[in-house]
Amino acid sequence: MANRFSLAFRVYSIVGALTVLLCVFCYLSVEDQLESKRLYDHTFTANQISDYFIEASRYGALERGFTGVGFSLQVGKMEELVDDIRGHRAKMDESFFKGLKLVQNLVESDPGNLDLKTSLDKLLERRKLLERAREQFDSYARDGSDGMSSDRWIKIATALILAQRDIRMKIFSPVNAREKAVLANTMVKQSIWMASEYAGRIRAQVGATLAKGIAMDTNRIDEVNRNYFVVQSNLKTVRDWAEDFEGGLEVKLAVERMNTVFGREFEKIRSKVFEEIKTGNYTITPKEWVGASTEGINSILSVAEAASVEPAYLVKNSRNEAQKRANIFIGLVSLALLICFATIIYFKYKVMVPLNDYISKLSQVTAQVEESSRGVATSSESLASTASEQAASIEETAASLEEFSSMVKNNVSQVEKTSELANAMKDSASKGEINVREVVASMKEIKAGNDDIQHLVRVIADIGEKTKMIDN
């Protein structure tokens, strides 16, 4: 019984250990796949946030430029401009709040990411400043009250755009963007945003100066030239990336359009305006400048729109593959557990039950053999005891035989002596016979004498009786 329990325990222990090891391996594999899926989900969400905030920054830059021009105009001359500003606001707010909701979801799902939470708080704070600045512009456009300088407005609008950029940089990192193509695409989007942002600043700065109809001071001209250098540097990064891009045709077409619209058409207008702002003699209206610069900026942002298609596709496929692999591993875990359970059942009914029967029969045979062995041992002991007794008897018999032999020898000696004695007795007997005869004869003579004496005694007795009778 102990052997059967020991065997079953060992087998079940081995199967259990293998099951545990398999489950641990599958758990780690599934955890890795689920972690990959979470990272892909994060990357996908981050890509969406980046697209939403780039789109919001695009219309925010338009609002910044048009509103900056509006603060430079007199009341009553900006009706058409106000309609454009409101249109840009609506589009900017739509994209901004979509991206904001996704960021808030990320912060809720990862409360330990304090850096991202700080950036979100900063974004909301700057959004409140923009809302108050918008209210001031609406009041100024309505009745000329509560106005502010174009520079002040541009700083407020720019601060919100930069806060959105800060969020984009925080949610994207090489750890999260595991796909190189996605990471490269993200970095290009950053360059595109930088180019469009600084082009938007130029649009606002030059537009405000055109609206005033005055020459731009030297310091402002230097600032505009620095901004333009930033635009060209980032556009070079975009062009270099597009040359090595192996994705869809949409990106290359968007880059060609950017080179045409911004690189050639807008460049002609920009070169001319940059010369005119030194003197204040303008041949272009603020609206024409804003329209031309906006078209050029839109051509830059169209590259980002084209580039957004591929990472979304890559991340979605990677996420689906990770989910598929996780499902496969979960299926393998279930199958492994089923196999282990089936192995235990099979072992129990196909191995342990027959084995138990065999061991039971073997135990019975063993018991019989043990009993027979005990009988044989008992018989052996009895036989050994009998043999010992017989050996002792033989020894006693041998001793008796020796003693008997000695007695026989003594008897022979006695017989010989007896024979001699008999011969002597025979001689004595012969002599005795003679003597007996002589004695018999003497006894006869004595008997005769005795008879005479008895007769004499009787006579004396009769005399005595008679004498007695006489006396009486």
Side-chain angles (χ1 to χ4, degrees):
M1 184 66 183
N3 292 333
R4 281 182 286 172
F5 175 77
S6 177
L7 176 62
F9 177 76
R10 286 196 296 267
V11 172
Y12 291 147
S13 297
I14 292 172
V15 174
L18 291 176
T19 303
V20 171
L21 290 176
L22 184 60
C23 289
V24 169
F25 171 76
C26 291
Y27 170 77
L28 294 176
S29 299
V30 170
E31 184 66 21
D32 181 67
Q33 297 304 319
L34 292 177
E35 179 63 20
S36 297
K37 181 180 178 297
R38 285 192 291 269
L39 291 174
Y40 288 131
D41 288 341
H42 180 91
T43 304
F44 183 76
T45 301
N47 190 68
Q48 285 184 309
I49 292 171
S50 179
D51 290 341
Y52 284 138
F53 279 173
I54 285 177
E55 187 73 4
S57 297
R58 171 185 181 178
Y59 288 105
L62 287 171
E63 181 190 5
R64 178 181 59 189
F66 278 85
T67 303
V69 171
F71 273 121
S72 301
L73 297 176
Q74 295 180 354
V75 178
K77 297 183 178 181
M78 59 178 74
E79 289 80 4
E80 186 177 351
L81 191 63
V82 169
D83 292 337
D84 291 336
I85 291 171
R86 288 174 179 170
H88 296 322
R89 279 185 188 177
K91 293 179 180 179
M92 183 266 191
D93 290 346
E94 180 182 2
S95 297
F96 176 83
F97 286 114
K98 287 180 179 179
L100 178 63
K101 184 177 180 179
L102 293 177
V103 174
Q104 290 172 333
N105 291 338
L106 281 183
V107 172
E108 291 177 0
S109 63
D110 187 14
N113 193 343
L114 300 179
D115 197 18
L116 181 60
K117 186 178 184 304
T118 301
S119 297
L120 176 61
D121 294 339
K122 184 178 179 181
L123 177 69
L124 295 175
E125 180 182 349
R126 293 185 176 181
R127 173 71 192 191
K128 291 179 180 179
L129 293 176
L130 181 72
E131 294 290 346
R132 288 197 291 268
R134 281 179 173 179
E135 292 175 358
Q136 284 185 261
F137 175 77
D138 292 342
S139 177
Y140 177 76
R142 187 170 51 252
D143 54 20
S145 61
D146 201 17
M148 70 168 61
S149 66
S150 298
D151 291 342
R152 173 63 180 163
W153 159 256
I154 290 173
K155 287 181 180 180
I156 293 174
T158 300
L160 179 62
I161 293 173
L162 292 177
Q164 295 176 69
R165 181 202 64 179
D166 186 44
I167 291 287
R168 293 204 318 274
M169 297 303 294
K170 293 291 174 58
I171 60 175
F172 267 115
S173 69
V175 174
N176 293 329
R178 299 179 70 177
E179 295 289 341
K180 292 183 179 180
V182 176
L183 182 58
N185 188 285
T186 302
M187 300 308 295
V188 168
K189 284 181 181 178
Q190 178 63 18
S191 296
I192 292 172
W193 177 85
M194 289 289 290
S196 63
E197 164 60 17
Y198 281 86
R201 294 182 186 185
I202 295 172
R203 175 180 57 192
Q205 291 166 339
V206 174
T209 301
L210 288 174
K212 295 177 181 178
I214 59 175
M216 185 178 289
D217 61 72
T218 304
N219 292 333
R220 184 60 63 85
I221 292 175
D222 291 340
E223 183 180 353
V224 169
N225 287 329
R226 286 195 299 270
N227 291 341
Y228 188 70
F229 175 78
V230 174
V231 173
Q232 292 299 326
S233 298
N234 284 277
L235 289 182
K236 183 179 183 304
T237 300
V238 175
R239 293 186 183 102
D240 292 341
W241 168 79
E243 289 180 1
D244 299 330
F245 183 71
E246 297 179 355
L249 185 62
E250 294 83 359
V251 172
K252 294 186 180 298
L253 293 176
V255 172
E256 290 179 2
R257 182 175 181 276
M258 179 190 72
N259 291 333
T260 301
V261 176
F262 189 87
R264 288 193 290 271
E265 296 176 359
F266 175 70
E267 179 61 23
K268 293 179 181 178
I269 298 175
R270 185 204 65 80
S271 299
K272 183 178 180 181
V273 171
F274 273 31
E275 291 296 328
E276 293 177 352
I277 59 176
K278 297 177 183 178
T279 61
N281 298 320
Y282 301 110
T283 60
I284 186 174
T285 65
K287 185 175 181 180
E288 291 174 338
W289 162 254
V290 170
S293 58
T294 299
E295 188 175 356
I297 293 171
N298 287 341
S299 69
I300 296 173
L301 293 172
S302 65
V303 178
E305 292 176 357
S308 298
V309 175
E310 185 184 23
Y313 174 77
L314 289 174
V315 173
K316 185 177 181 180
N317 282 350
S318 299
R319 181 179 59 180
N320 292 337
E321 289 176 3
Q323 181 64 53
K324 192 178 297 181
R325 288 194 295 270
N327 292 337
I328 291 173
F329 277 112
I330 292 173
L332 289 176
V333 171
S334 302
L335 180 61
L337 292 175
L338 182 61
I339 290 174
C340 291
F341 179 75
T343 301
I344 293 174
I345 298 300
Y346 176 84
F347 177 79
K348 180 178 180 180
Y349 292 102
K350 295 296 184 181
V351 177
M352 286 303 298
V353 172
L355 184 61
N356 288 337
D357 294 339
Y358 173 76
I359 293 175
S360 179
K361 294 178 181 178
L362 185 61
S363 298
Q364 294 176 0
V365 173
T366 303
Q368 293 176 358
V369 171
E370 289 178 354
E371 185 176 358
S372 300
S373 298
R374 286 194 295 270
V376 171
T378 303
S379 299
S380 298
E381 291 176 358
S382 177
L383 181 60
S385 177
T386 303
S388 298
E389 292 176 357
Q390 289 178 353
S393 297
I394 290 172
E395 290 178 356
E396 292 178 359
T397 302
S400 298
L401 288 175
E402 290 179 358
E403 184 178 357
F404 180 75
S405 177
S406 177
M407 290 175 65
V408 169
K409 289 180 180 180
N410 291 330
N411 289 334
V412 170
S413 177
Q414 292 294 329
V415 168
E416 289 177 352
K417 291 180 179 180
T418 302
S419 178
E420 292 176 355
L421 182 61
N423 290 330
M425 289 178 67
K426 182 178 179 182
D427 292 339
S428 297
S430 296
K431 294 176 178 180
E433 182 179 1
I434 294 172
N435 292 326
V436 168
R437 287 176 182 174
E438 291 178 354
V439 171
V440 170
S442 297
M443 288 182 68
K444 285 181 177 181
E445 291 179 356
I446 294 170
K447 181 177 179 185
N450 187 38
D451 287 338
D452 289 340
I453 294 171
Q454 287 182 354
H455 179 70
L456 180 59
V457 169
R458 283 193 300 266
V459 171
I460 295 172
D462 286 337
I463 295 173
E465 286 180 2
K466 288 180 177 177
T467 303
K468 186 177 181 180
M469 288 178 63
I470 295 174
D471 288 332
N472 289 329

